[in-house]
């Protein structure tokens, strides 16, 4: 039915997905159509010795034209810009791309999961992230600020100082 198609386009109704599947899709777009095998660890180091190092494995590539991927990327790059839905990123110094989401469940009144999936930086992606907060509300106001803080740490030249500052703020306010 036409209504089913519209629900599918915006990710409502019959769409069932996991955060890992959304992250895979986000990475697929960020890497111009390469789907990599998911990994939890890049490498394991003991002292000066590398015990394990993950070698990226492409599972799928070239199943969508580069022109279509370009259009999707352009749309994702508008989300964290002024006028988009990821308002916490409007003043973020690193260009990111993403998609907010608010997934309804159960009784539609006040029952939504907050989503945000993103990659950065847009010109040479090196990190992708998906955050889902169960029962969290709106993706723009709940999930995207978490991604922003994770990116702030990831791109920080002084990660240890940033961690100490966050710790100090948390212990000062308690």
């Amino acid at each position: 039915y036409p209504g089913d198609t519209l629900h599918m386009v915006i990710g409502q109704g019959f769409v069932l997905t996991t955060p890992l599947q959304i992250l895979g899709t986000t990475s697929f777009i960020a890497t111009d159509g390469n789907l990599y095998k998911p990994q939890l660890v890049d490498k394991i180091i003991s002292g000066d010795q590398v015990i394990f190092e993950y070698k990226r494995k492409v599972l799928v590539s070239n199943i969508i034209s580069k022109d279509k991927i370009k259009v999707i990327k352009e749309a994702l790059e508008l989300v964290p810009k002024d006028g988009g839905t990821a308002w916490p990123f409007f003043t973020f110094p690193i260009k990111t791309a993403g998609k907010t989401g608010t997934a309804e469940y159960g009784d539609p009144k006040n029952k939504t999961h907050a989503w945000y999936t993103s990659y950065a930086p847009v010109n040479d992606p090196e990190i992708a992230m998906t955050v889902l907060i169960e029962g969290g509300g709106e993706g723009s106001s709940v999930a995207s600020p978490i991604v922003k803080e994770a990116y702030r740490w990831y791109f920080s030249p002084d990660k240890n100082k940033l961690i100490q500052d966050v710790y100090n703020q948390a212990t000062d306010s308690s």
Side-chain angles (χ1 to χ4, degrees):
Y1 296 105
D4 293 340
T5 301
L6 295 175
H7 278 146
M8 186 64 122
V9 167
I10 63 170
Q12 295 289 334
F14 306 114
V15 176
L16 298 174
T17 187
T18 67
L20 186 57
Q21 289 169 322
I22 295 295
L23 180 59
T25 303
T26 303
S27 294
F28 177 81
I29 298 301
T31 60
D32 295 321
N34 294 307
L35 179 62
Y36 292 94
K37 183 178 180 182
Q39 69 185 61
L40 294 176
V41 175
D42 182 40
K43 63 178 130 181
I44 300 171
I45 301 172
S46 178
D48 292 336
Q49 183 180 2
V50 176
I51 297 171
F52 169 82
E53 188 163 4
Y54 180 83
K55 303 292 185 212
R56 291 196 312 173
K57 180 180 178 187
V58 176
L59 298 175
V60 175
S61 65
N62 299 321
I63 59 170
I64 297 177
S65 74
K66 299 296 182 193
D67 290 339
K68 289 179 181 168
I69 288 176
K70 182 181 176 202
V71 169
I72 295 168
K73 281 182 146 184
E74 289 170 354
L76 293 174
E77 289 173 23
L78 293 174
V79 173
K81 289 184 177 176
D82 193 13
T85 55
W87 54 265
F89 281 92
F90 289 175
T91 59
F92 196 66
I94 294 166
K95 292 180 85 174
T96 68
K99 174 70 179 91
T100 59
T102 304
E104 299 171 353
Y105 70 97
D107 180 9
K109 292 184 179 180
N110 300 322
K111 290 199 174 190
T112 57
H113 300 312
W115 284 88
Y116 190 62
T117 191
S118 175
Y119 63 89
V122 295
N123 294 331
D124 188 17
E126 57 184 79
I127 185 170
M129 186 177 315
T130 298
V131 170
L132 164 70
I133 307 298
E134 292 186 21
E138 295 182 352
S140 58
S141 59
V142 178
S144 68
I146 294 169
V147 173
K148 178 183 174 185
E149 287 306 306
Y151 282 171
R152 191 166 75 99
W153 173 83
Y154 180 83
F155 291 109
S156 171
D158 190 355
K159 292 176 177 50
N160 292 331
K161 181 182 180 319
L162 190 59
I163 290 170
Q164 188 64 48
D165 290 347
V166 170
Y167 174 78
N168 290 340
Q169 288 176 356
T171 56
D172 289 345
S173 63
S174 54

